[in-house]
Amino acid sequence: MSDSDPKNLGSGFGRIDDHAAGTQTATADSAGAMPRIAVTEALRNNWIEIWYQPKIDLKRKCLAGAEALARIHHPQFGVLPPGSFRPDVDEEGIAELTQQALLATLCDWTMFEEAGFNLQLAINVPVSALFKLPIPRLVAEYRPKSERWPGLILEVTEDQIARDATLAKEIAAQFRVSGISIAVDEFGAGYSSFASLRDLPFAELKIDRRFVLHCATDAANAAICQTAVDLAHRFGSAAVAEGVENAADLQALMVMGCDFGQGVLIAPPMPKERFVELLRQRMSKPRSAAAKPAPAGSQKPAGRVA
């Protein structure tokens, strides 16, 4: 298997399920429905865990970064999927959850560095929390003190940015001073104008998974993905494909010039301990055991800090 083979991109991680990660998975109740938990209840009982999904550099064929994702680890139901949070959460609960995820991600970066990888981490931030929390102050106070820290990416969905592009632009400019970049998440699913994107200094354009799926065979999805990749590059930013599930789509994205990819084909979200374990396994793997040596600079920071 050559280094250019898409199946080899995530070989340092493999495909693991919740059992392999040592985590009890959630089960549906007798009615077939998944339990729904209030954010405030999960925070109060310390049920929130931050998991990480690796992001791969599709051009250099190496690990580039990771996205932090909140999970509920319930003592009875096990690990619950993303949709387990109750939809009626208030802004205070959202802000508290976002702050906890932000501080945990800043703390976890040091653990990843000690494993030998300088990763640029990203977290999803609802626009309400983006405006409500003193994010630059929190990052300045809790950021890693290492000079190698590559900064943090905050992902905000396209539709949320479109609601107040002017204010989002002002906040993004303030964030740059603190080493914080903005990524436009779920691009293609919202209704923002190209003009609003032009005025927003974003580091990444993340293509919505609905268009990534079958982009190798669906002409419409392929056209949308290619447009997103070209648009990101014209703005001097990186294009990221979300939800990569099969090798054909991954190969198509590489041909399009997409910069980064993440999805279950490469590696699913996993607990940070499992992620660190896999990072260490990758570092200790004998060079002679690989089909080809790892690309030079594979431990450099990923992404772009706008």
Side-chain angles (χ1 to χ4, degrees):
M1 184 179 296
S2 70
D3 229 10
S4 60
D5 190 327
K7 296 178 182 177
N8 197 37
L9 292 177
S11 60
F13 302 97
R15 296 176 183 166
I16 62 167
D17 54 22
D18 291 325
H19 177 73
T23 307
Q24 177 190 0
T25 54
T27 55
D29 60 21
S30 57
M34 298 298 294
R36 306 298 288 272
I37 308 295
V39 168
T40 52
E41 180 185 5
L43 288 167
R44 183 174 62 251
N45 291 286
N46 295 317
W47 293 340
I48 301 295
E49 293 182 350
I50 303 302
W51 286 30
Y52 291 91
Q53 183 171 36
K55 181 168 65 177
I56 298 298
D57 186 320
L58 301 183
K59 296 178 179 178
R60 294 164 54 215
K61 317 297 190 302
C62 65
L63 177 66
E67 179 180 354
L69 302 163
R71 295 288 187 268
I72 293 177
H73 196 159
H74 194 276
Q76 178 182 354
F77 301 117
V79 176
L80 300 176
S84 60
F85 291 106
R86 285 183 185 168
D88 57 348
V89 60
D90 58 26
E91 288 193 2
E92 290 296 330
I94 290 176
E96 186 177 354
L97 175 62
T98 301
Q99 179 168 323
Q100 180 170 318
L102 173 67
L103 299 184
T105 302
L106 291 171
C107 179
D108 289 344
W109 180 87
T110 301
M111 181 188 303
F112 300 141
E113 183 192 32
E114 291 174 351
F117 281 77
N118 182 5
L119 303 177
Q120 189 169 36
L121 303 178
I123 64 170
N124 290 284
V125 178
V127 72
S128 59
L130 193 71
F131 298 153
K132 185 180 184 65
L133 292 174
I135 292 179
R137 180 181 63 78
L138 290 170
V139 171
E141 183 175 353
Y142 293 99
R143 56 153 286 181
K145 304 309 178 185
S146 170
E147 294 182 355
R148 300 179 67 233
W149 183 63
L152 183 70
I153 296 177
L154 303 184
E155 299 182 0
V156 185
T157 59
E158 177 192 1
D159 62 328
Q160 291 181 326
I161 286 179
R163 294 174 192 171
D164 197 334
T166 300
L167 183 56
K169 178 182 177 182
E170 295 175 358
I171 291 178
Q174 297 172 11
F175 285 176
R176 291 177 65 181
V177 180
S178 303
I180 305 170
S181 302
I182 296 293
V184 179
D185 198 15
E186 299 179 3
F187 180 73
Y191 302 96
S192 65
S193 68
F194 286 176
S196 64
L197 289 179
R198 179 195 61 193
D199 294 334
L200 181 68
F202 63 92
E204 294 181 350
L205 198 64
K206 302 195 72 173
I207 308 170
D208 188 81
R209 64 182 63 245
R210 285 175 288 180
F211 304 114
V212 170
L213 185 62
H214 305 313
C215 67
T217 54
D218 185 298
N221 280 7
I224 292 172
C225 288
Q226 185 67 73
T227 298
V229 170
D230 294 342
L231 186 65
H233 292 167
R234 285 182 179 274
F235 287 146
S237 304
V240 183
E242 297 185 283
V244 181
E245 296 183 4
N246 62 74
D249 290 342
L250 183 57
Q251 181 64 50
L253 291 162
M254 293 170 64
V255 172
M256 293 177 196
C258 189
D259 301 287
F260 302 105
Q262 64 183 85
V264 295
L265 175 71
I266 299 164
M270 63 190 78
K272 63 182 180 181
E273 294 81 8
R274 175 61 172 157
F275 190 25
V276 170
E277 177 187 346
L278 293 174
L279 292 179
R280 287 175 174 157
Q281 289 176 3
R282 187 179 180 121
M283 287 293 291
S284 62
K285 185 177 181 180
R287 293 176 63 89
S288 59
K292 287 187 178 181
S298 60
Q299 298 175 37
K300 291 182 179 180
R304 304 180 187 180
V305 180

